[in-house]
Amino acid sequence: MRIEDYALIGDMQSAALVARDGSIDWLCLPRFDSPSCFAALLGSERNGHWWMGPTGRRPATRRRYRPDTLILESEWDTPTGTVRVIDFMPPRDRNPDVVRIVEGVSGSVEVSTQLRVRFDYGRIVPWVRRTNGHLQAIGGPDSVWLHSPVPLKGGDYAHRATFTVKEGQRLPFVFTWHPSHEPMPQQIHCENQLEETEAYWAEWVGKCTYDGPYREAVVRSLITLKGLTYAPTGGIVAAPTTSLPEDLGGVRNWDYRFCWLRDATLTLDALISSGYLEEAADWRAWLLRAIAGRPQDLQIMYGVAGERRLPELRLDWLDGYEDSRPVRIGNEAVRQLQLDVYGEVMNCLFVARSRGLSADDRAWTIQRQLLDYVEDHWDEPDEGLWEVRGPRRHFVHSKVMCWAALDRAVKYVERFHRTGPVEKWRTLRDTVHAEILDKGFDKRRNTFTQSYGSSELDAALLMIPIVGFLPADDPRVAGTVAAIEKELMADELVLRYPIAEDNDVDGLPGGEGAFLACSFWLVEVMAMQGRKDEAKDLFERLLALRNDVGLLAEEYDPRYGRLVGNFPQAFSHVPLVHAARALS
């Protein structure tokens, strides 16, 4: 299956990817960052999957989410009738459940299923037994149960069944995880859970304040972002997957199942602007716990509960998605210096407070300590927004976001009457601003550059007017945008930065696709410049890249005409929401 052939279901603690042919090929339990029990996405079916569909295995004729929910419906038309599979994960009470309801729509259809459980990212073959008619698979700390009215028969380290579904008939299958040392969990009532899950999403979507012409795309993006939140703590993962390649067959494969401060703050910005303050309060509480102790030790990312150690390992027994190796878990970028996150955190907290989030004295104390760090380190080189694995540089975007951190601090004091060395912040803000104009702008080409002393461009420069560093109609911004449109676009989409053998900026071999967030940033800037028709055309081109259920990966590769990178990607859906607002 292509990456765009997958759909997402989740319970705000973990998520599964369901392929167009009815196979669940990726599922980590009990958390987003737990070892998987289905890992066919990064290997083969022998690394774990759960297929359900008409005998003969074919892509669904059509599929959709139930309106304004994360409940997936896939339908197959066959010569003998039509069958539907309803997939969802109920918001969790105690144990995580994956529910699949097979429904006869018309006629009579022969349906087959195959279940192959493999714990620890496809490596552990579990011990499977049958208890009171239900299947239990145990491997180390993990145990799963399959409850169904259809008996599955074992063989070749898998369990299979073939059965017939007639019009009006509904057969439920429930896959439940729990710690292996605990007794069998209580079985849920599928139809009740379906009703409650639909009601949950309807109530949540009902709070959305966006009512513009792109409501369908915005709401689907907001639901996806909500699906990437970790409800127990308020953390937000960048994506529910690891090692889906940015370059098919290449090494640009990373684990995104963690909470990047940048991605989380931008996600919250989109949610807050759409009427969701509760998520902002939850995330602020998560942030305060995560960075408790010495705020100057701030990391760029954490685990979903605030864990700091995220060691990067390679899973050599997995072949990788379309032979893209290595497959990685953990992320070595956790140790990088990325100065832009301070600006994103300060901006998000300022926006949340401006939208009505209650004051928090402890939060302001920590914000002041973060500003102390910015004051001492803003003039250092870093790895930047794109987490380069080459040498550190003085990235212009990082400097702009340091400016933004100071700017929001000044505005925080002015608007909310907080105490702080506001005159010192104003002076430093002006100093940073002046240095960027002096060292980060190429007067000859009339464009800002990727880093000091570089002649290269960077799509992150599009954030300059978005964060208010300069107005969108400033000639220097106009020159930068024009240069990006001329030099960084492929197939009408924006690349992050030039990649060539003589450009060692990211320290990695191979190419990549167009980073979708960058193109959405261009839409927003075009709208700010009054180029509404051009912005609308590009925005609708980007909407057309979504898959059939409205989801986006990290990138789109014009070379192959395919989505690439981890999926679905918060960093793609967030700027979609902002671009839609800019056009509205």
Side-chain angles (χ1 to χ4, degrees):
M1 291 285 131
R2 293 187 171 201
I3 291 172
E4 52 264 45
D5 287 325
Y6 287 95
L8 177 80
I9 59 173
D11 64 359
M12 281 74 72
Q13 294 191 44
S14 187
L17 292 190
V18 186
R20 192 187 294 268
D21 67 351
S23 180
I24 297 179
D25 288 344
W26 182 252
L27 175 63
C28 299
L29 294 174
R31 306 192 333 178
F32 290 107
D33 56 350
S34 297
S36 66
C37 52
F38 300 142
L41 181 71
L42 300 178
S44 71
E45 291 181 357
R46 292 194 171 274
N47 297 120
H49 80 127
W50 183 13
W51 168 66
M52 182 90 69
T55 302
R57 195 154 181 181
R58 69 204 76 167
T61 308
R62 57 193 161 270
R63 61 179 182 169
R64 62 158 197 163
Y65 285 113
R66 286 193 176 183
D68 295 345
T69 75
L70 208 54
I71 300 169
L72 180 69
E73 296 185 337
S74 305
E75 292 184 354
W76 288 263
D77 295 335
T78 76
T80 61
T82 297
V83 65
R84 175 184 300 135
V85 175
I86 304 168
D87 290 317
F88 67 101
M89 295 177 69
R92 196 177 305 182
D93 181 14
R94 181 178 181 190
N95 300 108
D97 299 292
V98 177
V99 180
R100 316 194 77 178
I101 299 174
V102 183
E103 178 183 12
V105 178
S106 65
S108 176
V109 180
E110 184 179 83
V111 175
S112 295
T113 186
Q114 176 173 282
L115 175 68
R116 209 183 283 269
V117 179
R118 294 292 184 271
F119 296 122
D120 193 26
Y121 301 104
R123 191 170 193 180
I124 296 177
V125 179
W127 168 45
V128 183
R129 64 181 180 177
R130 193 178 303 278
T131 303
N132 298 326
H134 306 292
L135 285 180
Q136 182 188 23
I138 299 176
D142 300 295
S143 175
V144 295
W145 289 83
L146 180 68
H147 306 285
S148 83
V150 178
L152 276 68
K153 186 175 296 186
D156 190 26
Y157 299 100
H159 284 75
R160 303 174 180 84
T162 298
F163 53 97
T164 299
V165 180
K166 298 180 180 180
E167 181 177 345
Q169 189 176 11
R170 290 164 72 97
L171 298 175
F173 295 74
V174 183
F175 182 91
T176 304
W177 179 95
H178 72 112
S180 59
H181 64 275
E182 293 184 357
M184 175 181 176
Q186 184 176 356
Q187 189 174 347
I188 65 172
H189 190 285
C190 295
E191 297 294 346
N192 289 348
Q193 288 296 315
L194 178 60
E195 292 179 8
E196 291 177 13
T197 301
E198 189 164 17
Y200 169 87
W201 284 110
E203 180 182 1
W204 189 83
V205 170
K207 301 175 184 177
C208 178
T209 57
Y210 177 83
D211 193 28
Y214 300 106
R215 182 174 172 80
E216 178 274 328
V218 168
V219 168
R220 178 49 52 198
S221 291
L222 292 173
I223 290 173
T224 303
L225 296 173
K226 177 65 173 175
L228 298 180
T229 61
Y230 184 68
T233 67
I236 303 172
V237 298
T241 57
T242 178
S243 300
L244 289 180
E246 298 171 14
D247 183 24
L248 293 173
V251 301
R252 297 171 181 264
N253 318 317
W254 316 110
D255 193 347
Y256 277 14
R257 299 170 300 152
F258 305 115
C259 302
W260 270 257
L261 294 188
R262 175 190 308 108
D263 297 54
T265 56
L266 295 174
T267 297
L268 282 174
D269 202 10
L271 290 169
I272 292 166
S273 67
S274 302
Y276 295 100
L277 267 183
E278 182 179 342
E279 285 74 10
D282 290 344
W283 181 82
R284 185 174 67 182
W286 172 87
L287 176 69
L288 297 181
R289 292 191 303 270
I291 66 177
R294 282 167 36 99
Q296 57 267 42
D297 294 335
L298 182 78
Q299 296 183 179
I300 64 160
M301 72 175 88
Y302 297 86
V304 294
E307 296 88 350
R308 300 189 182 201
R309 297 184 185 275
L310 310 174
E312 186 173 301
L313 305 173
R314 297 186 176 194
L315 307 185
D316 294 332
W317 62 88
L318 290 173
D319 291 334
Y321 180 85
E322 295 195 11
D323 295 320
S324 303
R325 289 187 289 267
V327 172
R328 295 180 173 95
I329 59 171
N331 201 306
E332 196 68 25
V334 70
R335 300 192 294 181
Q336 289 190 351
L337 174 64
Q338 298 175 20
L339 291 168
D340 65 294
V341 299
Y342 294 88
E344 278 120 14
V345 169
M346 289 297 299
N347 181 69
C348 177
L349 294 174
F350 174 75
V351 170
R353 188 76 179 85
S354 301
R355 295 275 182 167
L357 186 65
S358 61
D360 187 299
D361 292 340
R362 182 164 170 258
W364 177 243
T365 298
I366 289 180
Q367 286 172 263
R368 287 189 56 173
Q369 290 175 312
L370 296 180
L371 288 163
D372 290 341
Y373 186 89
V374 172
E375 181 180 351
D376 293 337
H377 298 277
W378 72 271
D379 55 352
E380 297 178 6
D382 71 341
E383 278 88 3
L385 167 72
W386 306 126
E387 299 184 351
V388 300
R389 300 207 173 190
R392 286 184 175 180
R393 286 172 164 78
H394 289 281
F395 287 104
V396 171
H397 172 262
S398 294
K399 307 299 184 190
V400 168
M401 295 312 297
C402 287
W403 171 90
L406 295 160
D407 179 71
R408 298 328 185 248
V410 171
K411 291 177 178 176
Y412 218 105
V413 171
E414 293 172 342
R415 182 173 300 185
F416 306 119
H417 310 294
R418 284 290 184 177
T419 59
V422 66
E423 289 304 324
K424 182 172 71 172
W425 291 339
R426 283 197 187 99
T427 300
L428 183 56
R429 178 184 64 177
D430 294 344
T431 298
V432 176
H433 196 277
E435 180 179 291
I436 294 169
L437 296 181
D438 179 47
K439 297 183 178 180
F441 184 75
D442 185 336
K443 295 180 180 178
R444 181 179 60 83
R445 297 175 61 208
N446 190 36
T447 179
F448 286 94
T449 60
Q450 183 178 57
S451 60
Y452 291 175
S454 168
S455 61
E456 301 290 358
L457 290 170
D458 191 318
L461 300 170
L462 292 168
M463 295 300 294
I464 287 174
I466 292 174
V467 302
F469 182 83
L470 286 175
D473 59 358
D474 186 285
R476 291 162 292 190
V477 171
T480 303
V481 174
I484 288 172
E485 290 182 75
K486 180 180 179 181
E487 300 178 30
L488 279 189
M489 294 194 76
D491 196 29
E492 302 178 32
L493 300 172
V494 183
L495 303 174
R496 291 193 292 180
Y497 46 78
I499 294 180
E501 291 184 5
D502 59 350
N503 181 14
D504 64 345
V505 65
D506 60 18
L508 295 167
E512 65 175 12
F515 201 82
L516 292 171
C518 301
S519 296
F520 283 116
W521 293 340
L522 180 57
V523 170
E524 191 170 355
V525 173
M526 282 178 167
M528 295 170 69
Q529 293 179 326
R531 301 162 59 190
K532 286 293 183 74
D533 290 341
E534 293 173 83
K536 181 180 178 182
D537 289 345
L538 177 56
F539 185 69
E540 293 182 353
R541 156 95 168 114
L542 290 165
L543 291 186
L545 299 181
R546 298 178 302 155
N547 73 356
D548 58 314
V549 289
L551 303 181
L552 288 169
E554 183 178 25
E555 302 179 6
Y556 178 83
D557 198 324
R559 295 174 297 177
Y560 311 115
R562 295 179 55 179
L563 293 176
V564 293
N566 282 305
F567 174 88
Q569 174 74 13
F571 211 46
S572 296
H573 286 279
V574 165
L576 183 157
V577 175
H578 288 307
R581 286 191 169 278
L583 288 172
S584 299

